Amino acid sequence: MSRTTRTVLAPRVFALADDLSGAAEVAAALGLRGRIVLGPATAPPRDGESVVLDLDTRQSAPQDAASAVRAALAYADGGVVLKKIDSLLRGNLAAEAAAYATGATGVVIAPALPVAGRTVREGVVNLHGTALHTTDAWRAERGAAPVSVGAALGGVPTRVVPLATVRAPAPALYDRLLALVAEGYHPVCDAETDTDLDAIAEAALQLGPGIRLMGTGGLAAALGRRLARADGGGSGAPGIDGHRHPMAAKPDLSTEPVRDRSTEADRDRPSRTDAAGPAGPARADDVSPAPGGTPSRPLLVVVGTAEPTAVAQIAQLVAAGAHHVSLPAHTLTDRSTLPPLNIRTEGGRTPDGVTVVSIDGTHAVHPGAARSLAAGLAHAVAEAAQDSDLVLTGGETARRVLDALGIRELLPLDQIHHGAVRSRTADGRHVVTRPGSYGDIDSLLRIARALRPGLAQPSDQPPSDQPPSGQSVAPPVPPAPLGEPT
């Protein structure tokens, strides 16, 4: 009696994000083989593939953002659909949620991101235990932070699913989600841990066709874990159509999924002795690319974020020998006054040096200038970025730089630390994207050392004082408030 084995592909995942760093975060969190597409979409995901689409709507008018969501959903042909939202509820959330809910049987909403200290209790987002609307997390936004998830979603009818229900023995959560959807409500689920999000993803998937998911990278990670362990043998609970939906599938192992190297990055940090070797540690203008990386390419770090930690992050790179170029905001909005940035030729620097570029935030910049500043920053660095490996912080900045380079698709490779996603372009260069609000003060240094393993620790050498051609090196100053970090 013969016996055959059939490999079943994981269900297709089609995810939408409103900025590029968020799209990359979701791709890494899903951990499935797939692509990051810089929208608009032109085709649905292939069987077994996840596609994360950057809608580029964070700074759009609400009606335009809603239109982009509706257009993208035309390609949601089966499989699992996920809308990534900002864990601090920024962006065109109400308009996009209304468009996303249209045509769905229901939307299960879980905005918690426990790894970043962002939890939801009684329908209110908390940032490290403090209600979002009482913090300064919206300091670069035009309005005040919403007092609850429901308030942020505007006219979308929602009901809160409390933490007690999320953590209750099965099938309590499933039953509650099913009842709310049947009554025409979209459940907003409390969550404080990844285990909570796992329970929400499990119950939501059992509801069957017509159910869409909405949440942060935390929910995306829970979804990825659920799909990865699906074995086709479960019995599932009866869904909204009366049938059981166990999401039975096995992942395709022929292509290695995105790796989370958050802890590996720490292990891979050489000690001062290891990094130095017999001749001492390499400086940022001396270090070679990682083996198998992109030889003879410079590393260009473009910081477009209003986060206070960016100042300290830049300082650590400068202390490791990176060249820092601080561009006045007015030169970015008046591009005729700014020559193209040259990071290759000054002082005999090797072409694989490290340069970090930021916006001089000495003088306050109106939050409404976010998109024009990001576009100006991309214009300023475009020539230097043509043949560089890239580190791009802030979703708006990342998208504008890649648009300037004509890059429409990224293949996610791994995650250096949470939110810092390394991808590869069609021409083989490495691009790391990271939401502006993520990362400790050593974030940029960790990313740079992952791409250039020989990079010195900040204390090993004093900062370099050789400027790129036509530019001046300045100590880190507060970046201009673009209001764009995810």
Side-chain angles (χ1 to χ4, degrees):
M1 182 175 178
S2 64
R3 190 173 185 176
T4 59
T5 302
R6 183 171 66 91
T7 300
V8 182
L9 296 180
R12 289 175 291 179
V13 177
F14 187 50
L16 311 178
D18 70 352
D19 74 355
L20 182 55
S21 60
E25 179 191 356
V26 167
L30 285 170
L32 307 173
R33 69 184 185 95
R35 298 169 289 140
I36 302 166
V37 176
L38 281 63
T42 57
R46 296 182 286 269
D47 285 338
E49 179 189 50
S50 64
V51 167
V52 185
L53 177 66
D54 171 28
L55 297 174
D56 190 27
T57 54
R58 176 62 66 88
Q59 302 295 333
S60 297
Q63 63 271 22
D64 294 336
S67 295
V69 170
R70 285 191 292 268
L73 287 172
Y75 295 95
D77 183 20
V80 181
V81 184
L82 169 70
K83 175 69 175 73
K84 192 270 183 188
I85 62 174
D86 178 44
S87 60
L88 298 179
L89 308 180
R90 294 170 296 195
N92 289 297
L93 188 51
E96 292 188 9
Y100 185 67
T102 301
T105 304
V107 178
V108 176
I109 305 159
L113 186 61
V115 70
R118 299 164 190 187
T119 58
V120 179
R121 184 178 278 271
E122 298 179 352
V124 175
V125 171
N126 290 271
L127 182 57
H128 300 291
T130 302
L132 171 64
H133 62 278
T134 66
T135 72
D136 67 347
W138 273 50
R139 61 189 170 278
E141 304 301 310
R142 299 184 185 186
V147 298
S148 68
V149 178
L153 295 175
V156 176
T158 62
R159 286 292 184 271
V160 173
V161 178
L163 201 59
T165 303
V166 171
R167 294 177 176 176
L173 175 57
Y174 164 82
D175 289 343
R176 184 57 178 156
L177 296 181
L178 186 63
L180 288 176
V181 168
E183 294 169 10
Y185 295 108
H186 304 288
V188 172
C189 298
D190 284 356
E192 294 183 335
T193 68
D194 287 336
T195 301
D196 297 334
L197 292 172
D198 286 340
I200 294 164
E202 177 77 26
L205 289 178
Q206 290 178 2
L207 293 174
I211 296 296
R212 295 172 183 167
L213 304 179
M214 177 181 288
T216 66
L219 183 62
L223 175 60
R225 289 189 293 268
R226 176 63 181 86
L227 297 181
R229 71 173 183 267
D231 60 8
S235 59
I240 53 177
D241 55 1
H243 299 291
R244 297 178 182 270
H245 299 276
M247 295 302 297
K250 289 184 179 180
D252 178 13
L253 302 181
S254 62
T255 302
E256 184 178 2
V258 179
R259 298 174 62 198
D260 186 345
R261 300 188 56 168
S262 303
T263 54
E264 293 179 46
D266 291 321
R267 293 198 304 269
D268 291 344
R269 292 189 193 181
S271 66
R272 293 181 64 180
T273 302
D274 294 337
R283 291 181 51 75
D285 53 3
D286 252 350
V287 65
S288 297
T294 48
S296 301
R297 279 186 170 141
L299 178 60
L300 179 61
V301 181
V302 184
V303 179
T305 175
E307 293 299 310
T309 53
V311 178
Q313 291 171 355
I314 293 170
Q316 288 214 358
L317 270 186
V318 172
H323 296 268
H324 179 217
V325 180
S326 181
L327 301 176
H330 74 272
T331 66
L332 300 178
T333 53
D334 180 11
R335 301 178 193 176
S336 63
T337 66
L338 184 68
L341 180 66
N342 183 350
I343 66 172
R344 273 189 168 275
T345 59
E346 180 66 14
R349 293 174 56 227
T350 56
D352 52 344
V354 180
T355 300
V356 56
V357 181
S358 65
I359 302 174
D360 184 342
T362 302
H363 304 290
V365 179
H366 192 275
R371 175 153 284 195
S372 62
L373 282 173
L377 184 59
H379 173 80
V381 304
E383 182 174 314
Q386 287 290 342
D387 56 358
S388 298
D389 287 335
L390 301 170
V391 177
L392 308 171
T393 77
E396 183 75 19
T397 297
R399 179 61 189 255
R400 299 285 79 77
V401 171
L402 295 187
D403 279 351
L405 299 177
I407 295 173
R408 310 306 305 167
E409 195 168 292
L410 296 170
L411 176 67
L413 300 176
D414 58 15
Q415 189 167 215
I416 296 167
H417 68 67
H418 177 71
V421 180
R422 171 167 34 190
S423 301
R424 189 174 68 237
T425 63
D427 64 2
R429 79 175 80 191
H430 284 186
V431 175
V432 177
T433 55
R434 195 210 72 191
S437 62
Y438 285 11
D440 295 328
I441 62 170
D442 66 343
S443 170
L444 293 180
L445 183 64
R446 289 178 64 182
I447 294 169
R449 284 172 64 81
L451 297 174
R452 304 291 186 266
L455 188 62
Q457 293 283 8
S459 58
D460 288 327
Q461 293 285 351
S464 170
D465 58 2
Q466 292 188 4
S469 174
Q471 307 292 337
S472 60
V473 171
V477 294
L482 296 187
E484 67 175 26
T486 304

